[in-house]
C-alpha cells in the first residue's frame, strides 16, 4: 500500500527514487541503493504507555542489466527491521522495539521489455498493493482486506498504453501437505487494471480495480477448506494542492460444502483519503476507513471505523515530520459494548 498519486506520497516516493545512489554502473549493468528511516513516537493505545516504534524502516537494493532491443533483467532486495527480542541484561535495556533483527521483506528477479512490461518471480508486493491509495502515515490503510504481499509469487505488470495498464499475480502456498494446527495457505491469484487520465495540466484522475482469490487448507488436514474472494475499486483525483482518494470493495470467506457447519462471512470495505497542501512544505490530511463483517444466519455486523487526522512538514525534500491522531471504534454483532481506542504522536521519515 501507500503507493499513491496524492501530493505528499508522490513526493516521498519520488525522493526515494531520485536519491537512490548508483553504487555500480558498467557495461549496461546498474546497482542502486536507497531506503528510509521511519519512526513514530507517541501513545499507541488507551491501554499502552508512550512508546517509540520503528514504522517500517528499510534498505532497498535494485539491480538491472540491459540486454538490448528493449529487454533488461532486474532484481530487487528489501531489508526491514522487525525484531521481537526483549531479552535484557543488567548492562542494557532492551524491549520489543522493531529496531533490529533485519529480515528479508522482498527478494525477486525478472525480465522486462520497455513496450510490454515486467515479469518477476520471488518475494514481493502484489499488484493489488497499488489499488488502495492512501496517504496518511502510521497505521494508514491497515483495514485493507486485499493480499498486498506474497512470500513467493509470479507477478506481471504491463507497460502503460495511453494511460492503461494491467497486472496479473499468482501466489504459491505451503509446499508441504502438513497436517497441523493452522490453516495453511494453498494458493491465490489476482487480476488488476489501472488507468491514468490527465484532464488538463493541473487536474489528474486515476482509476484502479482488482479481483483476487486466496485459498486455504483446513486446520488439521491438507485439503482445501475455504477461499477468500475480494474485489476493490478505486478512483483518485488531484487538483493543484488538493487530493482525494476513494476506495470501495467487498469480500467473502466461503467454506467448502463439507464444512457446512462453518458460516460464510461477507464484508464491505471503504476508504476516503483527503489531503490539502496548505503551503508547499506542509500538508493537512485526513482519512476514514471502514471494514465490516456479517456471518450467514445472523442479523448484526462486526464494524470497525478508523479516523485519521494529521499535518506534516517537509524539512527537506528527503525529510518529513508529522503529527497524527487516530481514533478507532469497534462495534460487535453480539451487542457487546463498543470498543474505542486512540493513537497519537509525532513521526519522522528520512529518505536516502
Amino acid at each position: 500500500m501507500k503507493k499513491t498519486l496524492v501530493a505528499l506520497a508522490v513526493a516521498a516516493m519520488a525522493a526515494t527514487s531520485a536519491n537512490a545512489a548508483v553504487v555500480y554502473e558498467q557495461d549496461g549493468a546498474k546497482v542502486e541503493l536507497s531506503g528510509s528511516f521511519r519512526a513514530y513516537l507517541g501513545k499507541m493505545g488507551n491501554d499502552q504507555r508512550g512508546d517509540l516504534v520503528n514504522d517500517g524502516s528499510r534498505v532497498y537494493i535494485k539491480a538491472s542489466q540491459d540486454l538490448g532491443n528493449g529487454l533488461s533483467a532486474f532484481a530487487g532486495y528489501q531489508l526491514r527491521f522487525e525484531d521481537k527480542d526483549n531479552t535484557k541484561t543488567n548492562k542494557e535495556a532492551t524491549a520489543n522495539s522493531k529496531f533490529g533483527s533485519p529480515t528479508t521483506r522482498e527478494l525477486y528477479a525478472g525480465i522486462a521489455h520497455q513496450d510490454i512490461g515486467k515479469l518477476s518471480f520471488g518475494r514481493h508486493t502484489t499488484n493489488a498493493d497499488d489499488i488502495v491509495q492512501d496517504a496518511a502515515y502510521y497505521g494508514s490503510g491497515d483495514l485493507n482486506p486485499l493480499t498486498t504481499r506474497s512470500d513467493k509469487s509470479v507477478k506481471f505488470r504491463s507497460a502503460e498504453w495511453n494511460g492503461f495498464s494491467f497486472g496479473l499475480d499468482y501466489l504459491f502456498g505451503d509446499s508441504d501437505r502438513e497436517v497441523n494446527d493452522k490453516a495453511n495457505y494453498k494458493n491465490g491469484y489476482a487480476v488488476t487494471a489501472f488507468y491514468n487520465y490527465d484532464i488538463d495540466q493541473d487536474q489528474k484522475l486515476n482509476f484502479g480495480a482488482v479481483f483476487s482469490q486466496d485459498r486455504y487448507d483446513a486446520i488439521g488436514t491438507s485439503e482445501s477448506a475455504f477461499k477468500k474472494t475480494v474485489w476493490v475499486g478505486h478512483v483518485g483525483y488531484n487538483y493543484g494542492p488538493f487530493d482525494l482518494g476513494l476506495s470501495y470493495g467487498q469480500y467473502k470467506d466461503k467454506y467448502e460444502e463439507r464444512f457446512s457447519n462453518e458460516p460464510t462471512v461477507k464484508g464491505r470495505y471503504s476508504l476516503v483519503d483527503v489531503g490539502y497542501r496548505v503551503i508547499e512544505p506542509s500538508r493537512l490530511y485526513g482519512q476514514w476507513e471502514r471494514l465490516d463483517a456479517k456471518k450467514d444466519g445472523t442479523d448484526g455486523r462486526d464494524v470497525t471505523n478508523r479516523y485519521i487526522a494529521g499535518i506534516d512538514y517537509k524539512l527537506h525534500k528527503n525529510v518529513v515530520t508529522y503529527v497524527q491522531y487516530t481514533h478507532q471504534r469497534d462495534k460487535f454483532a453480539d451487542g457487546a459494548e463498543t470498543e474505542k481506542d486512540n493513537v497519537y504522536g509525532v513521526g519522522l521519515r528520512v529518505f536516502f
Side-chain angles (χ1 to χ4, degrees):
M1 273 182 302
K2 304 174 186 61
K3 294 179 176 65
T4 174
L5 293 181
V6 296
L8 180 70
V10 164
M13 295 300 293
T16 304
S17 176
N19 291 320
V22 178
V23 296
Y24 177 83
E25 187 170 15
Q26 185 174 347
D27 298 329
K30 180 188 291 187
V31 179
E32 299 176 288
L33 175 67
S34 63
S36 59
F37 171 81
R38 307 182 181 201
Y40 190 68
L41 170 65
K43 190 73 177 296
M44 304 306 169
N46 292 340
D47 60 348
Q48 298 186 36
R49 60 172 63 98
D51 201 2
L52 173 65
V53 297
N54 171 30
D55 186 24
S57 299
R58 64 203 65 182
V59 175
Y60 216 145
I61 300 173
K62 292 184 178 181
S64 62
Q65 174 65 60
D66 183 12
L67 303 176
N69 299 318
L71 279 170
S72 62
F74 63 90
Y77 174 64
Q78 184 185 138
L79 186 71
R80 290 206 189 183
F81 306 88
E82 301 172 343
D83 74 286
K84 296 182 179 180
D85 183 13
N86 60 0
T87 304
K88 60 178 66 178
T89 71
N90 62 350
K91 292 186 178 181
E92 58 186 355
T94 62
N96 183 0
S97 65
K98 296 188 177 180
F99 277 108
S101 298
T103 61
T104 297
R105 181 76 170 189
E106 296 183 29
L107 179 61
Y108 60 86
I111 298 292
H113 189 283
Q114 62 184 13
D115 298 323
I116 300 175
K118 295 182 176 182
L119 178 66
S120 57
F121 307 83
R123 171 180 290 192
H124 43 24
T125 59
T126 66
N127 285 295
D129 188 46
D130 293 330
I131 293 293
V132 176
Q133 300 181 359
D134 54 283
Y137 292 92
Y138 185 77
S140 179
D142 277 357
L143 302 182
N144 176 10
L146 290 167
T147 300
T148 57
R149 188 175 69 89
S150 173
D151 282 342
K152 46 183 176 178
S153 67
V154 179
K155 174 181 176 180
F156 175 75
R157 182 65 171 267
S158 76
E160 188 172 298
W161 305 296
N162 297 319
F164 172 78
S165 63
F166 69 92
L168 302 170
D169 296 88
Y170 183 83
L171 287 62
F172 293 87
D174 297 308
S175 58
D176 296 330
R177 292 181 176 272
E178 295 181 353
V179 177
N180 50 40
D181 58 356
K182 69 175 183 177
N184 289 335
Y185 186 75
K186 196 175 188 72
N187 55 48
Y189 69 86
V191 180
T192 53
F194 306 89
Y195 182 69
N196 298 317
Y197 176 69
D198 293 345
I199 301 174
D200 54 36
Q201 187 175 357
D202 298 320
Q203 299 184 78
K204 303 179 185 298
L205 279 171
N206 68 294
F207 302 90
V210 58
F211 176 83
S212 67
Q213 178 177 284
D214 296 292
R215 299 173 65 208
Y216 297 83
D217 291 336
I219 296 177
T221 76
S222 61
E223 299 179 351
S224 295
F226 74 94
K227 61 183 179 182
K228 180 175 185 176
T229 56
V230 186
W231 68 262
V232 174
H234 168 83
V235 58
Y237 173 74
N238 170 246
Y239 179 63
F242 174 74
D243 306 289
L244 173 65
L246 305 173
S247 298
Y248 176 79
Q250 297 183 7
Y251 69 91
K252 179 169 67 174
D253 292 341
K254 184 176 181 180
Y255 281 81
E256 302 287 348
E257 291 183 2
R258 63 183 180 279
F259 297 97
S260 57
N261 59 321
E262 297 288 346
T264 297
V265 178
K266 299 179 182 179
R268 300 169 298 190
Y269 173 74
S270 303
L271 180 139
V272 178
D273 193 284
V274 181
Y276 183 77
R277 193 162 56 254
V278 183
I279 54 177
E280 178 55 35
S282 183
R283 177 175 179 266
L284 285 168
Y285 61 89
Q287 185 182 110
W288 168 65
E289 197 175 20
R290 184 183 190 274
L291 183 70
D292 66 41
K294 181 180 184 299
K295 294 182 179 179
D296 280 357
T298 62
D299 295 327
R301 292 177 178 269
D302 292 332
V303 181
T304 296
N305 281 285
R306 173 179 284 182
Y307 309 88
I308 294 178
I311 183 170
D312 65 45
Y313 190 87
K314 289 195 292 184
L315 301 172
H316 182 273
K317 67 176 182 177
N318 302 325
V319 181
V320 179
T321 185
Y322 63 94
V323 178
Q324 181 173 295
Y325 170 73
T326 303
H327 176 72
Q328 180 168 315
R329 291 172 175 258
D330 296 297
K331 183 178 180 181
F332 306 100
D334 59 8
E337 183 178 354
T338 298
E339 294 183 357
K340 304 175 183 178
D341 206 8
N342 298 279
V343 177
Y344 50 87
V346 296
L348 173 68
R349 296 192 175 186
V350 181
F351 298 88
F352 59 88

